[in-house]
Amino acid sequence: LAGVGKGAEYGILLRGGEHVEKARKLHTIVFDKTGTLTKGEPMVTDIITYGKYKKEDVLQAASIAEKGSEHPLAEAIVKAAGNSNIPDAEAFEAIPGHGVKARYKGVEILLGKRKLMKDSNVIIETAEENLQELEKQGKTAMILSVDGKVAGIIAAMDTPKENAATAIKRLKDIGLEVAMLTGDNERTAKTIAAQLGINSVIANVLPWEKVDVIKKLQAEGKVVAMVGDGINDAPALAQSDVGIAIGSGTDIAKETGGIILIKDDLRDVALGIELSQATMKKIKQNLFWAFIYNTISIPVAAANLLNPVIAAAAMAMSSLFVVSNSALLRRLKLKG
């Protein structure tokens, strides 16, 4: 109770004793990228065209295809196109983890990753050099295909959250292995990870594969925490030993998380773990003194060497010590 109360002061909601206990044993902490390590508000940075297409043509076709999507990248494209006067597609299909497919005035429009183009038999060799260059810059590059031919590339970039790099450093300082989980390709993912000081990158992960990544780490004998904010993160949060949900995330993510960060400050991840460690330390202290007291006092009382009045007083003092020691946790100062 003292630990939960102290967490509330810092905007950290601890949802049960089992999460506090497991947080003390953590070995690896896995962060989702988009919306967790980054702001989740990407902006279009580059538009590259091929053949007869102009930048306006590429942006319009992409915005038509993405108008029906709720993905942050789709919002960035629609915003770049001006949000208004974007025609509705005659048909729309989202391919999770790969891109979108749409039809407008009988023309098929594809926008997404290499895998989407490959599955649709679109040849992208002419765009590969540009794709690699954009990815080296940490940008998410999406290929636009119109009627089976590459028309252009649209690149967008999401920026890391304030204090994200500080949070990662603090976690590494307390001895945790930090990994980043993302659906981006490895080249883009490693560029973002390098900015944040993360060495372990798990890229090209489809939304439904996140939980498998957590299971694999656990199978290696690691105690794993998952930090996420979206619907796609909920299964991984539930599978992890300690699910840490960002307060600005979706309701299902917050319901699944064992620790919830109300303030949306990634530095609170380290604070939550440090608070759990301090709470477990107090529990161990209380157990130690309670066992020592009983180990000494019971034989003495059994030998009839202890006055009942003194024994009763001693028992009360023991309980008072445990409660007082726990209450001292409220004076704990965490590095905010």
Side-chain angles (χ1 to χ4, degrees), residues 154-167:
I154 294 183
M157 191 167 185
D158 196 3
T159 54
K161 284 183 178 178
E162 186 180 358
N163 299 320
T166 302

Side-chain angles (χ1 to χ4, degrees), residues 162-274:
E162 186 180 358
N163 299 320
T166 302
I168 299 303
K169 184 180 184 302
R170 186 169 296 175
L171 289 167
K172 292 168 79 173
D173 287 344
I174 61 178
L176 291 175
E177 176 184 299
V178 181
M180 185 178 81
L181 182 64
T182 178
D184 286 344
N185 69 77
E186 193 167 352
R187 191 178 291 109
T188 299
K190 284 187 174 180
T191 301
I192 297 295
Q195 295 175 17
L196 297 172
I198 298 175
N199 300 322
S200 178
V201 176
I202 308 166
N204 293 307
V205 180
L206 297 173
W208 55 87
E209 293 176 341
K210 293 181 180 181
V211 66
D212 296 327
V213 171
I214 301 300
K215 287 180 180 178
K216 182 179 179 182
L217 291 171
Q218 290 172 327
E220 295 172 2
K222 298 177 180 178
V223 180
V224 183
M226 170 73 188
V227 186
D229 74 316
I231 293 175
N232 293 332
D233 301 325
L237 288 170
Q239 175 62 39
S240 65
D241 297 288
V242 180
I244 303 175
I246 305 297
S248 62
T250 61
D251 288 342
I252 189 170
K254 287 184 281 188
E255 283 296 320
T256 310
I259 298 176
I260 300 174
L261 310 182
I262 305 299
K263 294 186 296 184
D264 192 23
D265 187 335
L266 289 178
R267 291 177 299 178
D268 288 348
V269 175
L271 293 188
I273 294 169
E274 289 170 358

Side-chain angles (χ1 to χ4, degrees), residues 12-269:
I12 302 168
L13 178 59
L14 305 176
R15 301 188 64 185
E18 68 273 19
H19 304 296
V20 174
E21 186 170 355
K22 288 179 180 177
R24 179 181 61 89
K25 304 173 183 177
L26 282 178
H27 177 275
T28 303
I29 184 159
V30 179
F31 284 86
D32 175 57
K33 182 180 82 71
T34 304
T36 302
L37 287 172
T38 64
K39 294 178 180 178
E41 300 172 358
M43 295 182 63
V44 172
T45 57
D46 302 84
I47 300 176
I48 299 173
T49 64
Y50 300 98
K52 64 180 181 180
Y53 297 97
K54 299 178 181 179
K55 288 187 177 181
E56 307 84 63
D57 301 327
V58 169
L59 186 57
Q60 183 185 39
S63 62
I64 291 171
E66 292 283 24
K67 186 179 179 181
S69 174
E70 296 179 354
H71 194 280
L73 291 172
E75 294 176 9
I77 291 171
V78 171
K79 184 177 180 180
N83 288 308
S84 59
N85 300 320
I86 299 174
D88 292 324
E90 296 159 5
F92 169 81
E93 180 186 359
I95 297 97
H98 296 299
V100 296
K101 183 184 297 185
R103 183 169 292 277
Y104 177 68
K105 291 186 176 180
V107 176
E108 184 181 65
I109 303 171
L110 300 176
L111 182 68
K113 298 181 178 179
R114 294 175 177 83
K115 181 72 163 56
L116 176 62
M117 300 300 149
K118 182 180 179 181
D119 292 345
S120 302
N121 298 314
V122 178
I123 299 172
I124 63 168
E125 274 75 7
T126 54
E128 189 59 42
E129 184 177 346
N130 293 126
L131 286 170
Q132 292 185 21
E133 182 58 35
L134 291 166
E135 289 164 356
K136 286 177 184 176
Q137 298 171 24
K139 299 173 182 176
T140 300
M142 297 159 280
I143 309 161
L144 176 73
S145 163
V146 178
D147 264 350
K149 294 184 179 180
V150 174
I153 298 173
I154 294 183
M157 191 167 185
D158 196 3
T159 54
K161 284 183 178 178
E162 186 180 358
N163 299 320
T166 302
I168 299 303
K169 184 180 184 302
R170 186 169 296 175
L171 289 167
K172 292 168 79 173
D173 287 344
I174 61 178
L176 291 175
E177 176 184 299
V178 181
M180 185 178 81
L181 182 64
T182 178
D184 286 344
N185 69 77
E186 193 167 352
R187 191 178 291 109
T188 299
K190 284 187 174 180
T191 301
I192 297 295
Q195 295 175 17
L196 297 172
I198 298 175
N199 300 322
S200 178
V201 176
I202 308 166
N204 293 307
V205 180
L206 297 173
W208 55 87
E209 293 176 341
K210 293 181 180 181
V211 66
D212 296 327
V213 171
I214 301 300
K215 287 180 180 178
K216 182 179 179 182
L217 291 171
Q218 290 172 327
E220 295 172 2
K222 298 177 180 178
V223 180
V224 183
M226 170 73 188
V227 186
D229 74 316
I231 293 175
N232 293 332
D233 301 325
L237 288 170
Q239 175 62 39
S240 65
D241 297 288
V242 180
I244 303 175
I246 305 297
S248 62
T250 61
D251 288 342
I252 189 170
K254 287 184 281 188
E255 283 296 320
T256 310
I259 298 176
I260 300 174
L261 310 182
I262 305 299
K263 294 186 296 184
D264 192 23
D265 187 335
L266 289 178
R267 291 177 299 178
D268 288 348
V269 175

